[in-house]
Amino acid sequence: MGVPNDDVVLIQKGKRPGEPHVITVNCPDKTGLGCDICRIILDFGLYITKGDVTQVLCELELSIQRVKVTTTPDGRVLDLFFITDNRELLHTKKRQDETCEQLHAVLGESCISCELQLAGPECDCHQGVSSLSPVVAEELFRFELSDKETRLQALSPDMTKLKKANVVVDNSLSPAHTLLQIHCVDHKGLLYDIMRTLKDCNMKISYGRFSPNSQGYRDLDLFIQQKDGKKIVDPEKQSAICSRLKMEMLHPLRVIIANRGPDTELLVANPVELCGKGRPRVFYDVTLALKVLGICVFSAEIGRYSTSEREWEIYRFLLDENCKFQLSSMVAREQIVDRVRRALMGW
């Protein structure tokens, strides 16, 4: 049986260029283990090939908890990143110097100053966002796609596939486990979305298999148990799990553009896990998509928002009007939402 207390992680490179790496993890089991592993893998951002500030922070294993970005009247930009250190070494001078040096190396002469300070209690990273209007909140957290969003599919043919997610429960193939058969469109973080959902439902995944990407879809077979080690035989509980999984695969992230007074605001929302963690790398993917589109961010903030059903992490970006897009145009807004959503979904 080997030594059960030895935690081992092995990485095997692909035999040929372009082939995937195989990561083998040997560690004590727990409810939500798959979710935690998927979170770590997703947090490494294996899709990323270009650099900016957020990538440097991710490479340094610094998690962005909250951001405030403002543009001063003289054209300078002040970026405040509220971060935590996955290595728990940010209190040391060596770690602080390493962080500043890496940022200076990337930003070059455009970086006027870089300072690290301990944030006070008034900078709680889990504080709520400034108020959302009822209309914006309804559109952002709606379960079903609205007619307005359906019309957006002309620009986003991939989005029509999301409605085809299928989840089947089977208790006949295993005497001790419930089999979940999932067929859905593939996207970046799909396994994470499934694992975090089952973790929040207190379900334990004993083993499973998933197919390679086939024409944009994946098939997954997961053998699961309740936290007490029993199968899921209650029809209502089965239905609730299937509905929850479909919801998380249909809408892992929400993206809309709305008016905020005289300004144009891009809002991105993702569910917060019951343990309090948000989705990795959302800020990086959004800012990279806006950069590719040539859109500057006048200000940005990250916060939490609670609905009657759950807590959400909200990213709010005030967009600079001085860009190639006419931000008041519905067509331009649809193009921006489409590009941001594609970046987040890895399409």
Side-chain angles (χ1 to χ4, degrees):
M1 296 295 292
V3 183
N5 291 327
D6 283 353
D7 296 351
V8 177
V9 179
L10 299 176
I11 301 178
Q12 180 181 350
K13 294 183 178 180
K15 295 180 180 180
R16 293 184 294 272
E19 287 191 352
H21 290 41
V22 177
I23 302 177
T24 303
V25 180
N26 178 34
C27 65
D29 193 15
K30 67 171 184 177
T31 302
L33 176 63
C35 173
D36 294 339
I37 292 176
C38 286
R39 156 177 284 282
I40 293 170
I41 293 174
L42 183 61
D43 205 16
F44 271 92
L46 300 179
Y47 283 78
I48 296 171
T49 58
K50 299 177 72 174
D52 65 5
V53 173
T54 52
Q55 182 178 357
V56 172
L57 295 178
C58 289
E59 288 176 348
L60 288 169
E61 298 180 60
L62 298 171
S63 297
I64 302 172
Q65 304 295 336
R66 183 175 159 224
V67 179
K68 293 189 70 173
V69 181
T70 55
T71 303
T72 61
D74 60 359
R76 299 183 182 184
V77 177
L78 175 63
D79 297 337
L80 295 177
F81 290 86
F82 297 86
I83 59 177
T84 54
D85 188 1
N86 296 338
R87 302 181 194 173
E88 298 184 352
L89 295 173
L90 203 53
H91 61 282
T92 65
K93 187 176 185 302
K94 179 180 179 181
R95 180 72 160 144
Q96 294 177 6
D97 290 343
E98 176 191 24
T99 301
C100 290
E101 288 172 2
Q102 292 280 8
L103 289 171
H104 276 292
V106 169
L107 297 174
E109 295 181 356
S110 63
C111 180
I112 300 174
S113 66
C114 177
E115 300 177 4
L116 286 173
Q117 299 178 2
L118 181 64
E122 68 278 5
C123 299
D124 178 13
C125 63
H126 290 165
Q127 72 175 22
V129 296
S130 50
S131 60
L132 294 175
S133 71
V135 174
V136 171
E138 181 183 0
E139 183 178 356
L140 194 59
F141 304 122
R142 182 185 291 113
F143 174 72
E144 298 290 346
L145 286 174
S146 65
D147 292 338
K148 178 181 177 181
E149 289 172 305
T150 302
R151 292 196 299 270
L152 185 60
Q153 310 321 314
L155 291 172
S156 307
D158 309 78
M159 285 293 292
T160 59
K161 300 178 182 179
L162 291 176
K163 292 187 176 182
K164 300 178 182 179
N166 189 36
V167 182
V168 177
V169 176
D170 190 340
N171 274 319
S172 65
L173 295 180
S174 171
H177 299 86
T178 294
L179 170 63
L180 282 181
Q181 295 179 306
I182 301 172
H183 175 75
C184 60
V185 66
D186 195 16
H187 66 258
K188 182 168 65 175
L190 172 63
L191 273 180
Y192 167 72
D193 289 324
I194 294 173
M195 298 295 185
R196 69 173 170 80
T197 302
L198 293 175
K199 177 184 178 182
D200 285 351
C201 293
N202 277 323
M203 295 296 159
K204 177 182 177 182
I205 302 173
S206 298
Y207 54 96
R209 59 179 177 265
F210 62 96
S211 67
N213 184 310
S214 176
Q215 296 183 334
Y217 287 89
R218 282 193 187 273
D219 291 295
L220 298 91
D221 293 332
L222 301 176
F223 290 84
I224 67 174
Q225 293 177 328
Q226 300 183 87
K227 196 173 183 180
D228 59 8
K230 297 180 180 180
K231 299 171 68 171
I232 309 166
V233 295
D234 182 357
E236 290 187 2
K237 185 172 287 188
Q238 292 178 3
S239 178
I241 291 174
C242 290
S243 297
R244 179 72 181 273
L245 281 169
K246 287 180 180 179
M247 181 181 71
E248 300 301 338
M249 290 186 291
L250 288 170
H251 300 293
L253 296 134
R254 315 293 175 88
V255 185
I256 66 171
I257 285 184
N259 293 326
R260 188 176 180 182
D263 301 314
T264 302
E265 182 177 52
L266 173 72
L267 297 100
V268 179
N270 60 264
V272 175
E273 298 175 34
L274 290 182
C275 65
K277 295 181 179 178
R279 191 182 190 88
R281 306 184 72 86
V282 174
F283 188 83
Y284 173 82
D285 286 337
V286 175
T287 52
L288 179 59
L290 293 175
K291 178 181 178 181
V292 171
L293 290 171
I295 300 175
C296 294
V297 176
F298 179 75
S299 68
E301 63 175 299
I302 305 173
R304 299 290 173 93
Y305 185 90
S306 295
T307 63
S308 59
E309 297 180 348
R310 68 196 314 174
E311 186 179 28
W312 296 81
E313 193 164 53
I314 311 296
Y315 296 77
R316 306 181 69 168
F317 302 87
L318 283 182
L319 306 182
D320 192 336
E321 299 286 344
N322 296 320
C323 63
K324 66 178 182 181
F325 291 92
Q326 182 62 264
L327 296 182
S328 60
S329 164
M330 182 58 65
V331 173
R333 291 188 174 195
E334 290 174 348
Q335 291 175 340
I336 295 169
V337 168
D338 177 52
R339 183 63 186 87
V340 170
R341 182 184 285 117
R342 288 175 180 275
L344 290 166
M345 301 293 278
W347 290 337

